[in-house]
Amino acid sequence: MSQVRLRFAPSPTGFLHVGGARTALFNWLLARKEHGKFILRIEDTDVARSTQESVDAILEGMTWLGLDWDEGPFYQSDNFPLYKEQVQKLLAAGKAYKCYCSSEELEAKREKALKEGGKPKYDGTCRNLPLQEDDGRPYVVRFKAPQEGTTSWIDAIKGKISFENSELDDLIIQRTDGTPTYNFVVVIDDASMGITTVIRGDDHVNNTPRQILLYEALESPVPTFAHVPMILGADKARLSKRHGATSVMAYRDMGFLPEAMVNYLVRLGWSCGDEEIFGLNDLIQKFSIENVGRSAGVFNTDKLLWLNAHYIKNGDPVRLAGLVTPFLQERGVDPTSGPDLVAVVRTLQERSKTMLELAAGAVFYYKADFGYDEKGAAKFFTPETPALFEELLGKLAALQTLSVESIEVAFKVICEEKGIKLGGIGPAVRLALSGATVSPGIFEMIQVLGIAETRKRLERAIATIRG
RNA sequence: GGUCCCAUCGUCUAGUGGUUAGGACACCGGCCUUUCACGUCGGGUACAGGGGUUCAAGUCCCCUUGGGACCA
């Protein structure tokens, strides 16, 4: 019983985007579910475009999502000797050959073929040349692929896929400058790392038959392939910057929780009956590659927002307090300078879709120098308001304990005495305490702010009204 | 242009020959209510089109259309 080995192999040419994150997640989930290994490999053969910053950004993104890896990160740039060796091996075995055609010649042939209605594929000029020692002439190494028959595989997501070998070119595996090409390197790495299942984006479907042929030439077992569909933008075009944020870390910065991101990403293309809410541990039990859909999906921020609201609402307030702190600091708020942040978070959890929103809603607790909402002040600050506030202050001061229940009782007593409804005093208090007409519950705010701060704010409002 | 893939509400999807085509987000309306939310109840909206196969097709086959990917 051999264990499954899966990998995520990003190119370090940018941050971790949502598509890559989902691919990584699917790989990770299957590895965890099957008690196999999850390997991280950095595909940095394109040295010019690869950067350490990108590597760091990708690792940061995966860590944020909670996707840990068992082996790696390995770097392809460390494997150049292996790739060279494998090229020589194929050359020696007659399974690859040196092609001396210049790119100009090839271009001319391609155009001619196109003009005559043929296919623009390599014509095999050098295919049967005997292997010669290097003589200074530039050459590429091509894989000698079979020209007849079909190559097919059972894709774990898409089912059977077949290609006619006659449609396939003799793939270049080593460029003129001696560097190996992508399709070759991937196969060598996956083979040498013992990868058993390759889960990747379906933009690689067309590469797969060539890669299978290479596995066979290398006499390596062919892994199971699972091609996951693309993620699209609202206009059904491939997701890109113009659709909004594509980096998972940008979502953190917008106040999204990693568990919301994971939950959203996994449900985009995968399902488990009617269930919508999944935690990571849940998913390890329930995930199955067979239930991944075959069609591309549109990234829908509204649903992500809904999930985020769900996780904020049900989240641990202590943890959320920690997460919201940087957002508050960005707004110039020092959360140690006022009411207990955990208590503040509790009043905002149910009404915040993002941590950014939660932070915005928390500012008034710490900064009392706000102005009053104009329309609200015109409507709710009346000549009678100061007397009501003074009455309220007296009742609050007399309370033994300051709880939501006792505060509510104080309000009810005033309402009865004055013959008014809660609406006759509540909105004015809300405005005095928060400056806004939208806020957490009045009783909760008073409890969190405390008597002293409540007094200050009501007195400030009284002064304002009396002008 | 060639090859390959895909096609159920606006969006994510359930559905594996017999369903009033289900759920979720979003939207609309009721209730709850000190605001906003939350919650709750209810509503509208989908099988791309055309041919087959079958007693029966969203489900199987073919074609068309549309979308996408890769190569060039």
Side-chain angles (χ1 to χ4, degrees), chain A residues 120-431:
Chain A
K121 56 177 285 195
Y122 181 61
D123 68 350
T125 304
C126 304
R127 186 175 161 101
N128 294 312
L129 251 37
L131 182 61
Q132 346 180 359
E133 288 302 312
D134 290 2
D135 56 8
R137 278 189 297 161
Y139 65 87
V140 300
V141 178
R142 285 183 187 270
F143 174 58
K144 194 183 268 185
Q147 294 174 310
E148 296 173 345
T150 62
T151 298
S152 60
W153 74 96
I154 308 295
D155 195 275
I157 291 172
K158 292 177 182 278
K160 182 171 180 175
I161 300 179
S162 302
F163 284 78
E164 294 297 322
N165 290 156
S166 57
E167 298 292 340
L168 271 25
D169 251 357
D170 276 356
L171 180 75
I172 295 174
I173 59 177
Q174 181 178 292
R175 301 186 188 89
T176 311
D177 64 3
T179 58
T181 57
Y182 173 77
N183 281 105
F184 180 68
V185 163
V186 170
V187 171
I188 299 298
D189 281 334
D190 285 337
S192 71
M193 290 176 180
I195 301 302
T196 59
T197 306
V198 173
I199 302 177
R200 67 198 347 177
D202 74 359
D203 45 339
H204 288 292
V205 166
N206 287 277
N207 291 329
T208 306
R210 291 182 177 84
Q211 293 180 5
I212 289 174
L213 261 13
L214 277 171
Y215 278 104
E216 288 169 351
L218 261 5
E219 290 168 8
S220 289
V222 179
T224 299
F225 290 99
H227 288 97
V228 323
M230 302 275 89
I231 296 179
L232 310 176
D235 59 357
K236 306 239 179 175
R238 191 176 185 153
L239 193 66
S240 67
K241 286 115 268 170
R242 67 197 169 81
H243 297 109
T246 57
S247 151
V248 297
M249 295 318 281
Y251 283 92
R252 179 196 60 182
D253 296 343
M254 289 187 289
F256 287 87
L257 262 23
E259 58 268 41
M261 201 68 204
V262 163
N263 198 149
Y264 178 71
L265 251 19
V266 81
R267 272 292 284 114
L268 181 52
W270 172 84
S271 62
C272 182
D274 282 345
E275 291 183 64
E276 293 289 347
I277 305 295
F278 302 93
L280 228 36
N281 290 329
D282 235 5
L283 287 171
I284 292 171
Q285 302 300 316
K286 292 172 178 167
F287 184 76
S288 60
I289 202 74
E290 295 77 31
N291 289 323
V292 175
R294 297 118 309 192
S295 54
V298 174
F299 191 89
N300 180 211
T301 311
D302 276 335
K303 187 147 188 183
L304 172 59
L305 229 26
W306 173 73
L307 282 165
N308 204 49
H310 168 84
Y311 284 107
I312 289 177
K313 188 171 37 172
N314 297 294
D316 169 23
V318 175
R319 170 179 172 241
L320 295 176
L323 293 175
V324 80
T325 298
F327 290 110
L328 284 171
Q329 287 165 343
E330 271 173 31
R331 286 160 191 273
V333 171
D334 172 9
T336 63
S337 70
D340 175 32
L341 184 56
V342 175
V344 167
V345 165
R346 280 188 223 275
T347 69
L348 261 4
Q349 271 179 281
E350 266 198 354
R351 57 197 94 230
S352 304
K353 282 186 157 59
T354 67
M355 297 307 288
L356 209 54
E357 228 177 271
L358 198 155
V363 170
F364 79 88
Y365 281 110
Y366 300 96
K367 289 188 143 182
D369 57 347
F370 48 76
Y372 300 107
D373 176 86
E374 266 182 53
K375 281 184 187 167
K379 187 170 177 190
F380 301 120
F381 282 172
T382 67
E384 293 75 42
T385 304
L388 285 171
F389 280 5
E390 276 160 2
E391 191 74 25
L392 175 63
L393 249 8
K395 290 274 190 301
L396 291 176
L399 292 177
Q400 297 294 312
T401 55
L402 196 67
S403 68
V404 169
E405 293 72 25
S406 66
I407 295 166
E408 183 172 4
V409 169
F411 272 84
K412 283 199 169 146
V413 171
I414 292 180
C415 287
E416 272 172 35
E417 288 175 0
K418 303 289 178 186
I420 57 174
K421 289 184 176 175
L422 193 49
I425 178 171
V429 175
R430 177 190 317 288
L431 201 55

